[in-house]
Amino acid sequence: MTSSASTFPLPPGSTIGILGSGQLGRMLAMAAARLGLKCHIYADGPGPAFDVAAATTIAPYEDETALAAFASAVPVATYEFENIPLPTVAFLSNRIPVRPGAQALAVAQDRLNEKTLARDLGFMTADFAPIDSLADLEAGATKLGLPAILKTRRFGYDGKGQAKILSAADIKSAHATMRGQPAILEKFVEFQSEVSVIAVRGADGAFAAYDATENVHRNHILHTATVPANLKPKAQSAVIAAAKAMAEAVDYIGVLAVEFFALDMARQEVLIINEMAPRVHNSGHWTIDACTTSQFENHIRAVAGWPLGSTARHSNAVTTNLIGADHDGWAKIAADPGAALHLYGKNDARPGRKIGHVTRLSPK
Amino acid sequence: MTSSASTFPLPPGSTIGILGSGQLGRMLAMAAARLGLKCHIYADGPGPAFDVAAATTIAPYEDETALAAFASAVPVATYEFENIPLPTVAFLSNRIPVRPGAQALAVAQDRLNEKTLARDLGFMTADFAPIDSLADLEAGATKLGLPAILKTRRFGYDGKGQAKILSAADIKSAHATMRGQPAILEKFVEFQSEVSVIAVRGADGAFAAYDATENVHRNHILHTATVPANLKPKAQSAVIAAAKAMAEAVDYIGVLAVEFFALDMARQEVLIINEMAPRVHNSGHWTIDACTTSQFENHIRAVAGWPLGSTARHSNAVTTNLIGADHDGWAKIAADPGAALHLYGKNDARPGRKIGHVTRLSPK
């Protein structure tokens, strides 16, 4: 619930509060600046977003004094990562609108909730079972069949918090890696490709989606995102309709990403929902260069109560993530005349850390 | 002259110094951030660029203590407006590279110098005469013929510092408006259209130009910039060649704009140089939305010693300036799905002040 006296749409010159100081917050702040809006970044430590923000707060996400001051300073808040503690969002929501809201976050940050919602809405997902104990896991493995993947319900990303169970011999060790956290067992899905839909829903319920993106991962981290995806129009409509239904079910405001596994590319009929991210998404970075309105701008527009911008694209695009070890490759990419290089200003380049991306456009 | 120990190209994470806190500095800082570079803005007062800068200094441009500290904090400096005092650039240039350099600035910020250079290079300009006294003006009016326009040699922009002389009766009052400043008398040119070339020259001498832009002014302020200009290939090549020759003559580093008057659009043979701006330019704002590398990014690349980015465009574009009184029109433009809206975060909206621009793309 919200109790704000602010008038939406927020006029230019207003300040958007953003929880999180990473590269997504940085790109959100840059999109806000383009619209004449300022950003106030709240994070538990400095990060790439600080360099382009009009104001910053460093405090723990549990610091209610700092959160209250933040809520006094901004008329609306959003967040750049789904692992933001739900109590933080609930605390702020009693003072100012937080977009997307706590309901959407509660679904999206819990794999069991999001899969249950998808099923309730009539969409396909991998078969799954909630796992709270070793007994649950043993029963689940029998019920679903193996191979399967055990995942923490919350706080997983880029393959973290996951354990493969190829045979019954793996059950005990997989359970141990969960360290007692609530988990979900998902039947292993043999998919041929992964696609994602980046969509946006406005404060007025308006909905728009970018063309679906086809994603390739390496070492559990997104490697390339290509648009258009190799999807026929009917399949593309189906995934966008699913994203819309998910967004409406949780009264979503802002940009969300829904990931799908395509089981049979020849028939293109079996697209199952993998997960939903309540934020701008790595697979949508191509929208910066290939669209008039990027995913970042559309998120800011939704959060500020503005009309949504067009999701049309003027070009085809391939975005490649730059990961830790790619750090020294910037000079070569900078010299590639067709490459739109985006670096996040991270001083350290730990292995596996996303330090930038490069998008290459081609005519539609 | 420069005496820096910095190594170019500057690696990501480096800080670019920018003199001036206006909207051009703001858009330069955003382009730098995209490349993982930080910006330190030095200005005599806060402005739109401060909201997106990693560091700021407020001090007079004549404050040598502050300038020395600035030079210690950044490995290179540039400026966002050509009316930066030449001694400021000279002072900094003894400590760090300043790009574009003092030689280029000395030419570009003086109408007599820039027209003389253009003539020396074999290009056409309006006939002109230097004016330092009323006697000079009377003789100049006789020599060039009337109508003519008297302009201050320096510190003019958007029609400021200009007086029309339609007949001999206007001479005395026109001279009085110059308030004793060195001036130039230019024969009135009956032009059919105005085009500009936004070009960039790298630290290594590499040169690239965007397609020429056709510009329409209202009340001496740029109203629309349209690309492509209505120019045949031969004329387009000629204006780009002129921009290249001007840039090379002053060993230019960075983005420059050269404005031309087209006297005869049917023949397209008479294109005369009006002026040169030693900076990113209002008529090149379309490059943000219609190109992979904007004029702002290319300026930052040149200043940082990076390879130039492509100047190719993927779309046609029309940019319209938003001026003071247009401030309340943002909501309507925000609701236009084809419009890329850019607002500069200016809190006041004085009449005649540029507060943003909007670019509309169309397929090539």
Side-chain angles (χ1 to χ4, degrees):
Chain A
M1 298 301 297
T2 62
S3 61
S4 169
S6 291
T7 303
F8 290 89
L10 297 175
S14 303
T15 301
I16 309 281
I18 300 176
L19 297 158
S21 62
Q23 67 264 21
L24 299 180
R26 178 182 174 94
M27 290 185 272
L28 285 170
M30 290 165 71
R34 191 170 132 134
L35 297 175
L37 296 162
K38 299 180 205 294
C39 284
H40 183 148
I41 308 288
Y42 183 114
D44 59 3
F50 276 34
D51 288 339
V52 291
T56 59
T57 297
I58 298 178
Y61 292 112
E62 297 75 18
D63 182 338
E64 296 195 347
T65 305
L67 287 171
F70 179 63
S72 301
V74 297
V76 68
T78 186
Y79 40 90
E80 57 129 32
F81 65 118
E82 69 267 40
N83 290 334
I84 184 84
L86 204 50
T88 303
V89 171
F91 181 89
L92 290 173
S93 296
N94 283 324
R95 288 162 172 78
I96 52 171
V98 180
R99 297 173 169 177
Q103 182 195 1
L105 183 61
V107 169
Q109 70 178 197
D110 185 314
R111 294 180 191 279
L112 182 63
N113 291 354
E114 73 189 356
K115 283 203 162 54
T116 302
L117 174 64
R119 287 280 182 115
D120 287 349
L121 292 170
F123 301 110
M124 284 181 287
T125 69
D127 289 338
F128 63 90
I131 304 296
D132 292 317
S133 66
L134 183 58
D136 282 351
L137 183 56
E138 285 166 342
T142 303
K143 182 183 159 209
L144 301 184
L146 296 179
I149 305 177
L150 185 64
K151 302 178 177 177
T152 55
R153 281 173 56 174
R154 301 182 55 180
F155 304 125
Y157 68 97
D158 288 350
K160 292 178 174 62
Q162 301 193 7
K164 277 187 198 166
I165 303 179
L166 299 178
S167 72
D170 298 331
I171 287 179
K172 274 197 178 164
S173 63
H175 181 254
T177 64
M178 297 294 109
R179 297 169 180 272
Q181 295 174 84
I184 180 173
L185 186 67
E186 299 179 4
K187 185 163 184 180
F188 189 77
V189 171
E190 195 78 57
F191 62 91
Q192 297 187 337
S193 72
E194 186 204 294
V195 299
S196 59
V197 171
I198 309 296
V200 58
R201 189 165 176 271
D204 59 355
F207 178 88
Y210 295 92
D211 283 346
T213 308
E214 192 162 338
N215 304 324
V216 174
H217 288 74
R218 277 192 193 166
N219 303 320
H220 298 286
I221 299 175
L222 182 65
H223 175 55
T224 60
T226 301
V227 64
N230 180 22
L231 283 188
K232 290 173 186 159
K234 189 179 158 192
Q236 162 126 323
S237 299
V239 292
I240 290 175
K244 186 178 185 204
M246 295 282 279
E248 288 179 348
V250 295
D251 195 17
Y252 198 92
I253 301 177
V255 163
L256 75 160
V258 184
E259 290 181 6
F260 299 83
F261 290 145
L263 303 196
D264 183 339
M265 287 303 284
R267 290 173 58 222
Q268 298 213 342
E269 282 174 5
V270 189
L271 285 150
I272 72 171
I273 292 179
N274 178 39
E275 64 183 28
M276 160 183 174
R279 54 169 169 81
V280 288
H281 194 257
N282 198 167
S283 69
H285 290 354
W286 60 267
T287 61
I288 299 174
D289 294 293
C291 300
T292 293
T293 314
S294 73
Q295 65 166 345
F296 301 98
E297 178 173 331
N298 255 329
H299 186 72
I300 293 292
R301 282 172 171 257
V303 169
W306 287 34
L308 303 182
S310 169
T311 50
R313 63 185 166 82
H314 50 67
S315 301
N316 294 341
V318 180
T319 293
T320 304
N321 263 338
L322 302 177
I323 309 295
D326 301 332
H327 199 273
D328 296 332
W330 68 271
K332 192 174 169 194
I333 297 169
D336 174 352
L341 176 61
H342 299 255
L343 294 173
Y344 305 149
K346 294 183 179 177
N347 293 327
D348 58 333
R350 293 195 302 270
R353 195 153 190 241
K354 294 171 186 169
I355 54 113
H357 69 268
V358 56
T359 297
R360 292 180 174 85
L361 301 183
S362 59
K364 267 169 79 174
Chain B
M1 296 305 297
T2 62
S3 61
S4 168
S6 291
T7 303
F8 290 90
L10 297 175
S14 304
T15 301
I16 308 282
I18 299 176
L19 297 157
S21 61
Q23 67 264 21
L24 299 179
R26 178 181 175 96
M27 290 184 272
L28 284 169
M30 291 163 71
R34 192 170 132 135
L35 297 175
L37 296 162
K38 299 179 205 294
C39 284
H40 183 148
I41 308 288
Y42 183 115
D44 58 4
F50 276 34
D51 288 340
V52 290
T56 59
T57 297
I58 299 178
Y61 291 113
E62 297 75 18
D63 182 338
E64 295 195 347
T65 305
L67 287 171
F70 180 63
S72 301
V74 298
V76 68
T78 185
Y79 41 89
E80 57 132 31
F81 66 118
E82 69 267 42
N83 290 333
I84 184 84
L86 203 50
T88 304
V89 171
F91 181 90
L92 290 173
S93 296
N94 282 325
R95 289 162 172 77
I96 52 171
V98 180
R99 297 173 168 177
Q103 182 195 2
L105 183 61
V107 169
Q109 71 178 197
D110 185 313
R111 294 180 193 280
L112 182 63
N113 291 353
E114 75 190 353
K115 282 200 164 56
T116 301
L117 174 64
R119 287 280 182 114
D120 287 350
L121 292 170
F123 302 110
M124 285 181 286
T125 69
D127 288 339
F128 63 91
I131 304 296
D132 291 318
S133 66
L134 183 58
D136 282 352
L137 182 54
E138 284 166 342
T142 302
K143 181 182 160 208
L144 301 184
L146 297 179
I149 306 177
L150 185 64
K151 302 177 176 177
T152 55
R153 282 172 55 174
R154 301 182 55 181
F155 303 125
Y157 68 97
D158 288 350
K160 292 178 174 64
Q162 301 194 7
K164 277 187 198 168
I165 303 178
L166 300 177
S167 72
D170 298 333
I171 287 179
K172 274 198 178 163
S173 63
H175 181 253
T177 64
M178 296 294 109
R179 296 168 181 271
Q181 295 175 82
I184 181 173
L185 185 67
E186 299 179 5
K187 184 164 185 179
F188 188 77
V189 171
E190 194 79 57
F191 62 91
Q192 295 186 338
S193 72
E194 186 202 293
V195 300
S196 59
V197 171
I198 309 294
V200 58
R201 189 164 177 272
D204 58 354
F207 177 88
Y210 295 93
D211 284 346
T213 308
E214 192 162 340
N215 304 323
V216 174
H217 288 73
R218 277 191 192 168
N219 304 320
H220 298 288
I221 298 175
L222 182 65
H223 175 54
T224 60
T226 300
V227 63
N230 180 22
L231 283 187
K232 291 174 184 158
K234 189 179 159 192
Q236 162 125 325
S237 298
V239 291
I240 289 175
K244 187 178 185 203
M246 295 282 280
E248 289 178 348
V250 296
D251 196 17
Y252 198 92
I253 301 176
V255 163
L256 75 161
V258 183
E259 289 181 6
F260 299 82
F261 291 145
L263 304 196
D264 183 340
M265 288 302 284
R267 291 173 56 221
Q268 299 214 344
E269 284 175 1
V270 189
L271 285 150
I272 72 171
I273 292 179
N274 178 39
E275 64 182 28
M276 161 184 175
R279 55 171 168 81
V280 288
H281 194 258
N282 197 167
S283 68
H285 291 354
W286 61 267
T287 60
I288 299 173
D289 294 292
C291 300
T292 293
T293 314
S294 73
Q295 65 166 343
F296 300 99
E297 178 173 331
N298 255 329
H299 186 71
I300 294 292
R301 282 172 170 258
V303 169
W306 288 35
L308 303 182
S310 168
T311 50
R313 64 186 166 82
H314 50 67
S315 301
N316 294 340
V318 179
T319 293
T320 305
N321 263 338
L322 302 176
I323 308 294
D326 300 332
H327 198 274
D328 296 332
W330 68 270
K332 193 174 168 193
I333 297 169
D336 174 352
L341 176 61
H342 299 255
L343 294 173
Y344 305 148
K346 294 183 178 176
N347 294 325
D348 58 333
R350 293 194 302 271
R353 195 152 189 242
K354 293 171 188 169
I355 55 114
H357 71 268
V358 55
T359 297
R360 292 179 174 85
L361 300 183
S362 58
K364 268 169 79 173

